[in-house]
Amino acid sequence: MISLQPESRSIRPAAARWVCTVLLALCAGLAGCRDRSPPTPRPGAAPPAAGFPRTVALPDGSEVELADRPRRVVVANTALVDASLELLATDRIVALCDQARTWSSLAAHPEIWAGRPTFRHFDAETILAYSPDLVLCSPFSQLETVHVLRGLGIQVVKLADPTTIDELGPRLTLLGRLFDTEERAAELRQDLDARIAALRTRAASREHRPSLVAYSRLGEEGWTMGSGTLIHAAIELAGFENAVAAVGREGARRLPLEDLLALDPEWLLVPAAFGEEDGLSQSSVQRDPRLARLRARRNDRIVAIHPWLFSTTSHEIVTAAEQLAVRLD
Amino acid sequence: MTTGLGASHPRLPPRFAAGLLAAGLVALFLLQLAHSSDLWGSFDLGEVLRGLGAMLGLADPLGADVPIEPGAPQDHSQDALEMRLWRTLTAAGVGALLALAGALLQGLFRNGLASPSLIGVTAGANLGAFVAMLALSGHAHWALWGLGDSGPWLVTLAALAGALGVSGVVVLLGLRGPRPSVATLLLVGVAINTLIAGLLSALQDLVLGDNAAMSALQSWTFGTLYSRQAWHAGLVGLGLLLTVPVIPLVATELDLLASGEDDARALGVATHRTRILVLFAAAVATASAVASAGQIGFVGLVIPHMVRALVGSGHRAVLPLSVLAGAVFLLACDLAQVLVTGDRPLHPGVLMSLIGGPIFLWILLAGLRRSRTW
């Protein structure tokens, strides 16, 4: 039976409307009232270091204006951690992204950052707690966070991961200019260029470039890297041919077992487990009966490198290339 | 299992429940602003009030009285408090909007399983946001139309456009014909949701190898309250302003619709007008919530059930109290996760599922027990 009377007394809708209007007005008022202009230098602050303010051109064509030598740097892009640690004294880095402990050279040398702060989320409240004067992140790091930090006058530099070996040296130079450590950057770049040149010479001297597939498998699905990736560049630099790129595949992509069998590379490059010789990718390739006839497995040509080197997009990819090249000697 | 709304017996007078919820909301609001974190410590009530006063130009900003030492890092206490304010207002507003949308749709469909995702709003918002995020991360740069620098705005606006666009399509298709029924609308919603779910999976599949893009998509999928700004809070405020006034226009009609459309029509209810108003309010409420904080599930589904368990099923009480309860619930969950998980916070959508799932189950089982006793 239908009752025209509601079961319970109502809340007066006008009150709800009122609350809502007041909240909105308060919200707009609070947002509009405070002066949001970037902070001006405080009286008593030290004068800028020599060479500052400076303008630094970025690879995407934009420019960043640094008022002073960065003294409190936050690195929110794992790919920039290796270079930042080499170019800066650790006391000028105030925090690193948490992933750096796993996916940068810190995975192999945790003592460098032992007991120092890392953050899991790139949110404005967290980053602001470190009072940074320079924040390095990737182009697609939380857009809202970048917006808020820039609104507060903090320099945020977005740098895309390099995809070729030739981008690595200029990246070091750029970071050196941002950090005001140009000399150290020049030394590092000189050393890096020499290592790259040596690898290129060795690769050019080889008559045969054996085929190789970079393969990772953490569950049922296998993954590989085609052209346009830094690991592809490292494979070529080491004197191998990336079998996946050779059939026209680009970027990170799935590699079903039947495709791996069809490619049948002479060598396989897999990530090792953390702190162990035998990683999941390696053991799945070595033990999976469906891959028993794979050339690389029959000839015991499976190269396992540390997972952070397998995935790195820093200049340390050259170390991965060197570890690969050694296997051809 | 019953999927109906059931005629639960009120346990609290609605005005008393409203008073309790309002008091809880104020307490949570202050706690959220003042809570302690390992990075910031805590703000006491005086600092919170002074910080809010500073935003209105009535007091000095927090940290302004800290002695200045050359080379020392800048004090950002005032900025941190402001960020917490926007986060708090956004969380409360999103909870309120989602709960209101859920209560409206459960009333319209006469089905306790109806939630804001049913009419395609959430799926549409996800589609818009996904396309914008993929465009910004370089996978579909053509879709930016030269708006690449307006990143955060772009994702929010794309989500809003997607939500309103898709729900518009659902409503238009669902209400076609001489005598459109809510059942048709429901089925159209299911079909469109399935289609968009497939599209979203395809988009995710295309960028599985791109960690940055995947991380952004995942963050959106589970909702986020990080780095909220004034315009996020403003958007949910606008959503409330557009939808709360609809409550008195549809509350009694939804009560009458509970016995069926034909009966309601016979009693003089303009069913078509009611449907349009409810769908408009639900779509706008969900769209502004999802565009401001991503997808946060379960609020719209669970809160109306909790409110009905407290005050009965009359929509004149359920609808406004759902607004309050939604705000309290999401704010409480956000505060709880900040305090419990510390520097390893969960996305609000994850937490809502973890908390909302068992609560929903408890409400259902309690309902079954009551009906057996009866």
Side-chain angles (χ1 to χ4, degrees):
Chain A
M1 179 178 158
I2 297 163
S3 162
L4 288 174
Q5 294 300 317
E7 288 175 31
S8 49
R9 284 175 295 159
S10 66
I11 309 297
R12 268 187 293 180
R17 230 172 348 199
W18 220 91
V19 169
C20 161
T21 310
V22 168
L23 272 177
L24 188 70
L26 183 68
C27 189
L30 289 172
C33 282
R34 191 169 166 235
D35 178 16
R36 302 301 313 172
S37 55
T40 48
R42 293 182 298 177
F52 287 89
R54 72 167 51 160
T55 304
V56 181
L58 301 176
D60 64 2
S62 63
E63 290 181 337
V64 60
E65 180 82 29
L66 294 172
D68 198 358
R69 186 176 202 239
R71 291 181 171 85
R72 301 181 61 82
V73 179
V74 165
V75 186
N77 180 347
T78 318
L80 300 172
V81 168
D82 294 331
S84 301
L85 287 170
E86 293 213 45
L87 291 171
L88 284 173
T90 50
D91 63 346
R92 284 178 64 195
I93 304 176
V94 287
L96 298 174
C97 52
D98 198 46
Q99 297 93 320
R101 293 198 190 276
T102 313
W103 302 111
S104 76
S105 54
L106 291 179
H109 305 287
E111 69 282 358
I112 296 172
W113 201 252
R116 303 291 308 275
T118 57
F119 54 90
R120 272 176 71 82
H121 281 275
F122 185 61
D123 70 286
E125 191 179 330
T126 300
I127 300 302
L128 209 55
Y130 299 111
S131 296
D133 47 20
L134 176 64
V135 176
L136 301 178
C137 62
S138 65
F140 205 50
S141 295
Q142 286 278 338
L143 300 168
E144 288 89 354
T145 302
V146 173
H147 197 249
V148 171
L149 294 175
R150 283 182 173 163
L152 293 170
I154 295 168
Q155 285 297 353
V156 182
V157 173
K158 300 199 273 186
L159 291 172
D161 291 354
T163 54
T164 64
I165 296 293
D166 291 336
E167 291 172 66
L168 299 173
R171 171 58 53 90
L172 288 173
T173 305
L174 170 67
L175 289 173
R177 186 148 170 73
L178 283 170
F179 297 152
D180 192 27
T181 54
E182 284 100 328
E183 279 184 28
R184 174 74 185 128
E187 284 171 21
L188 268 179
R189 183 169 178 177
Q190 200 174 7
D191 174 61
L192 188 73
D193 287 345
R195 289 164 64 197
I196 293 170
L199 281 165
R200 283 186 171 142
T201 306
R202 273 160 79 180
S205 68
R206 298 187 202 283
E207 289 180 2
H208 170 62
R209 291 173 66 218
S211 62
L212 178 144
V213 166
Y215 184 71
S216 62
R217 186 170 155 201
L218 298 174
E220 269 306 297
E221 281 191 310
W223 284 82
T224 190
M225 255 76 82
S227 55
T229 62
L230 204 53
I231 191 77
H232 162 76
I235 290 167
E236 303 268 309
L237 183 64
F240 291 87
E241 179 191 54
N242 185 355
V244 175
V247 293
R249 299 197 178 168
E250 298 173 357
R253 54 196 310 140
R254 286 197 188 89
L255 188 67
L257 282 183
E258 60 264 37
D259 287 3
L260 179 60
L261 286 167
L263 291 169
D264 196 16
E266 295 168 78
W267 290 80
L268 268 179
L269 174 65
V270 295
F274 289 99
E276 295 171 27
E277 285 300 310
D278 188 12
L280 182 59
S281 300
Q282 192 178 2
S283 63
S284 71
V285 169
Q286 282 172 334
R287 291 172 197 157
D288 192 327
R290 294 168 292 182
L291 298 177
R293 300 175 72 149
L294 208 61
R295 251 193 309 181
R297 183 160 136 182
R298 279 188 283 120
N299 299 328
D300 195 22
R301 286 178 168 175
I302 300 172
V303 184
I305 61 173
H306 202 295
W308 79 270
L309 274 181
F310 188 87
S311 307
T312 188
T313 46
S314 79
H315 64 285
E316 290 289 356
I317 194 71
V318 175
T319 307
E322 286 169 340
Q323 290 187 10
L324 258 181
V326 165
R327 299 300 295 266
L328 280 183
D329 291 339
Chain B
M1 185 184 77
T2 176
T3 55
L5 299 179
S8 53
H9 302 284
R11 294 177 182 177
L12 289 177
R15 284 184 189 171
F16 180 68
L20 274 183
L21 286 170
L25 189 59
V26 172
L28 283 167
F29 178 81
L30 292 173
L31 274 173
Q32 178 77 300
L33 290 183
H35 78 257
S36 172
S37 84
D38 57 342
L39 293 172
W40 286 104
S42 58
F43 296 106
D44 61 35
L45 187 60
E47 287 173 317
V48 169
L49 294 176
R50 184 181 140 191
L52 294 177
M55 293 179 77
L56 294 165
L58 303 173
D60 286 335
L62 296 178
D65 46 0
V66 175
I68 298 165
E69 291 171 27
Q74 195 178 339
D75 188 304
H76 286 292
S77 312
Q78 178 69 33
D79 301 313
L81 185 80
E82 290 181 24
M83 282 174 205
R84 287 188 181 186
L85 175 71
W86 303 131
R87 177 184 178 135
T88 305
L89 289 176
T90 305
V94 165
L97 286 166
L98 291 175
L100 174 62
L104 285 167
L105 292 174
Q106 287 176 11
L108 181 69
F109 291 119
R110 286 168 278 145
N111 190 317
L113 290 179
S115 72
S117 60
L118 202 66
I119 52 169
V121 195
T122 314
N126 286 346
L127 188 62
F130 272 35
V131 169
M133 284 192 265
L134 293 184
L136 286 167
S137 59
H139 291 279
H141 216 70
W142 51 267
L144 290 178
W145 297 301
L147 298 170
D149 288 338
S150 47
W153 285 92
L154 196 65
V155 174
T156 303
L157 289 177
L160 198 61
L164 294 174
V166 172
S167 57
V169 169
V170 170
V171 170
L172 281 178
L173 291 177
L175 296 184
R176 284 176 75 191
R179 286 199 64 183
S181 70
V182 286
T184 314
L185 190 65
L186 194 71
L187 291 172
V188 170
V190 170
I192 298 278
N193 270 323
T194 308
L195 174 69
I196 292 181
L199 280 173
L200 294 175
S201 299
L203 287 177
Q204 279 180 299
D205 210 55
L206 286 174
V207 295
L208 269 177
D210 184 336
N211 287 338
M214 276 308 289
S215 153
L217 296 186
Q218 191 193 22
S219 182
W220 177 270
T221 306
F222 293 117
T224 181
L225 290 168
Y226 290 117
S227 307
R228 297 303 91 182
Q229 297 173 64
W231 51 273
H232 289 112
L235 184 58
V236 293
L238 186 65
L240 284 168
L241 204 62
L242 288 172
T243 54
V244 170
V246 171
I247 293 175
L249 305 178
V250 299
T252 308
E253 283 77 357
L254 287 176
D255 286 337
L256 297 174
L257 269 169
S259 301
E261 288 186 59
D262 291 337
D263 287 345
R265 248 193 307 271
L267 288 166
V269 174
T271 52
H272 192 66
R273 171 182 164 274
T274 304
R275 259 199 305 263
I276 296 287
L277 273 175
V278 167
L279 291 171
F280 163 79
V284 170
T286 314
S288 46
V290 180
S292 304
Q295 184 179 335
I296 300 176
F298 259 108
V299 184
L301 182 65
V302 175
I303 297 298
H305 285 277
M306 293 171 74
V307 170
R308 275 192 291 273
L310 281 179
V311 298
S313 53
H315 284 90
R316 289 172 66 192
V318 167
L319 294 177
L321 283 179
S322 290
V323 173
L324 271 178
V328 167
F329 194 62
L330 192 53
L331 209 48
C333 284
D334 190 39
L335 182 63
Q337 72 94 12
V338 165
L339 295 178
V340 174
T341 61
D343 67 338
R344 296 191 172 258
L346 295 171
H347 285 282
V350 176
L351 199 75
M352 286 309 303
S353 300
L354 289 174
I355 296 175
I359 290 179
F360 191 47
L361 201 58
W362 175 71
I363 291 171
L364 282 180
L365 292 177
L368 282 178
R369 217 173 20 246
R370 264 202 307 275
S371 54
R372 213 175 287 141
T373 310
W374 182 77

